[in-house]
Amino acid sequence: MKKIVLIALVFFGLVSCSKKEMNLSRHNVTVLAEITDHSPIYFSKEKDSNTVSVNRTNAVGGTNWVFSIQRDLNAKMVLEEVQKLKDKKYADKAHSDDKEVFFSYADTLHKNLAFFPFQYIDYEFKRPQSTENVLYFNGSNDLFLQDEQVQWDELEQRTASLPIIHLCFSATLTFEEYLQNRIRVEQNDALNQKLDSIDRIY
């Protein structure tokens, strides 16, 4: 019975957080299906406000950190806090932490909980000085390559000659919109190989 309930929760993108249900981001692909030795960190919305509440009490050093984030939270607000926690996890050079960090989400096609690793992604919150080599997702989820609107099916051809791609996102996107776009880019090998290590949100 517990297994059936868990599958049902994942199908609707829900997890239990402090006796409350949290709406996780959704996608139709699983990047990673299983993680062991992990600590859960929950991001939810403060009641009657747009501020982010972070339950970091379970974050144990030397474990994989899994960030479970309410999907309708503002991506910029969330990722500012995520970067602070990530910096703290890897700050102690004397005692290196070789465990990873992940976002959890619901694969609603395959009806399982899934994980997106982001140990090697850092976040910045300022506009780049130019649009050269910039792939930008605006607040309506439209795609712009070097300030020119493009379609998904054009991207591989249009970026073939670029030496690098700087991935940028509108500060008005929800966390779910950010994660869905980020996973889609990650799943495209031609794009993924050219990404720098910084996602910019502004």
Side-chain angles (χ1 to χ4, degrees):
M1 178 62 73
K2 288 183 178 179
K3 186 175 182 181
I4 293 173
V5 171
L6 177 60
I7 291 173
L9 288 173
V10 171
F11 179 76
F12 290 107
L14 302 171
V15 294
S16 177
C17 168
S18 301
K19 299 182 180 180
K20 295 185 294 183
E21 288 182 345
M22 173 182 290
N23 293 299
L24 287 180
S25 298
R26 298 154 294 184
H27 210 298
N28 60 5
V29 65
T30 291
V31 176
L32 189 65
E34 188 175 346
I35 297 172
T36 59
D37 189 22
H38 69 275
S39 299
I41 301 174
Y42 299 104
F43 282 60
S44 57
K45 186 181 293 186
E46 287 280 11
K47 189 176 180 180
D48 300 324
S49 77
N50 289 321
T51 57
V52 176
S53 172
V54 185
N55 180 349
R56 57 175 66 87
T57 56
N58 296 323
V60 178
T63 64
N64 295 305
W65 288 5
V66 175
F67 293 76
S68 296
I69 297 168
Q70 182 79 17
R71 64 184 176 224
D72 61 350
L73 288 173
N74 175 265
K76 181 175 181 290
M77 293 173 63
V78 165
L79 295 173
E80 285 173 338
E81 295 301 317
V82 166
Q83 186 63 52
K84 292 175 187 176
L85 288 168
K86 187 168 174 278
D87 288 343
K88 183 177 180 180
K89 179 176 178 64
Y90 297 116
D92 189 351
K93 303 299 182 182
H95 302 88
S96 61
D97 190 333
D98 60 354
K99 297 295 184 178
E100 297 186 57
V101 286
F102 302 86
F103 293 128
S104 66
Y105 65 97
D107 181 341
T108 52
L109 177 62
H110 302 98
K111 300 179 180 60
N112 60 266
L113 191 63
F115 306 93
F116 177 76
F118 65 97
Q119 181 176 355
Y120 300 106
I121 301 173
D122 284 317
Y123 296 101
E124 287 187 357
F125 305 95
K126 58 184 180 181
R127 185 185 300 270
Q129 293 183 343
S130 79
T131 59
E132 184 177 5
N133 301 326
V134 165
L135 179 60
Y136 177 68
F137 294 83
N138 74 0
S140 301
N141 261 333
D142 298 318
L143 268 175
F144 290 82
L145 181 63
Q146 301 185 128
D147 252 0
E148 183 179 345
Q149 188 168 0
V150 294
Q151 302 302 316
W152 271 104
D153 57 8
E154 300 177 294
L155 271 182
E156 204 163 317
Q157 179 184 357
R158 297 285 295 274
T159 58
S161 62
L162 299 183
I164 193 170
I165 297 173
H166 306 302
L167 201 54
C168 300
F169 300 86
S170 168
T172 65
L173 292 174
T174 65
F175 180 75
E176 177 174 67
E177 290 169 330
Y178 161 76
L179 189 59
Q180 288 173 345
N181 290 324
R182 192 60 177 80
I183 291 173
R184 191 170 181 183
V185 169
E186 187 91 6
Q187 294 291 296
N188 186 309
D189 290 338
L191 294 178
N192 192 34
Q193 290 173 7
K194 294 189 175 188
L195 296 180
D196 68 6
S197 60
I198 299 171
D199 284 6
R200 296 164 178 83
I201 299 91
Y202 53 89

